[in-house]
Amino acid sequence: MCDPVTGMMAAGTLMNYQASNAQANATQQVAFNKAKQIDYQRSQTIKNGEIRQQQVFQANADRSKSAMVQLAGSGIDASAGSSNDVLADVMSAGAMDSMIIRADIDSQLHGLESASQSALTQGALDSSSINNNANASLLTSGAQTAHYYQQYKT
């Protein structure tokens, strides 16, 4: 049998170890939740980008129709010559706008993916650090308890 102080030290050490494990698990859960939130932002970025592209396509179609009406109203054949070049330029400008939007979306998605991976990695590192500190504390306290027990026995 050991003295009450040594027993209390052992119980306190074990409780501290269990609390550290709970903290490590909570830290990982927080990181996981942050990564889920970032994934939600990614899906919203995709949806918003699709809406922006659709708006560009619609605006481009409207400009193209307007140009055709203006050319036809002027008595110019819209399917030939320089009037055809004007329509092609309108279409080209719309395509460029769409590609710029797509590149912007891709850039945002890359940043969000990096943030998600960073959150998960940081959570794993923090959890590992907490567990390592708990293990070191457990070993140190165990050695101290054994030392005090040896003193008590003699």
Side-chain angles (χ1 to χ4, degrees):
M1 186 82 186
C2 65
D3 74 299
V5 173
T6 305
M8 294 292 283
M9 285 177 63
T13 299
L14 183 59
M15 289 175 66
N16 185 33
Y17 181 76
Q18 290 172 336
S20 292
N21 280 336
Q23 182 184 6
N25 290 338
T27 299
Q28 278 193 311
Q29 186 62 45
V30 167
F32 177 75
N33 290 345
K34 186 174 182 178
K36 279 179 63 174
Q37 183 182 27
I38 292 170
D39 286 341
Y40 173 77
Q41 285 178 305
R42 290 185 73 221
S43 67
Q44 289 302 312
T45 298
I46 291 169
K47 287 178 186 175
N48 291 339
E50 289 171 350
I51 290 169
R52 284 175 47 206
Q53 280 187 311
Q54 194 63 279
Q55 290 169 338
V56 165
F57 287 139
Q58 186 60 47
N60 188 48
D62 291 346
R63 280 193 303 260
S64 181
K65 287 177 191 173
S66 175
M68 287 183 74
V69 167
Q70 287 176 352
L71 291 171
S74 300
I76 300 172
D77 182 8
S79 62
S82 61
S83 58
N84 199 18
D85 292 339
V86 168
L87 293 176
D89 286 345
V90 169
M91 298 295 274
S92 177
M96 289 298 290
D97 289 344
S98 180
M99 286 189 285
I100 290 169
I101 290 169
R102 185 71 230 169
D104 184 42
I105 292 168
D106 288 344
S107 176
Q108 289 178 31
L109 291 177
H110 177 71
L112 291 170
E113 178 63 26
S114 294
S116 177
Q117 288 301 318
S118 292
L120 291 172
T121 301
Q122 189 63 51
L125 288 172
D126 290 346
S127 178
S128 240
S129 176
I130 291 167
N131 280 329
N132 289 341
N133 289 339
N135 289 334
S137 178
L138 182 64
L139 291 173
T140 301
S141 295
Q144 287 174 341
T145 303
H147 173 73
Y148 290 131
Y149 179 72
Q150 285 298 328
Q151 284 182 337
Y152 174 76
K153 269 179 62 174
T154 57

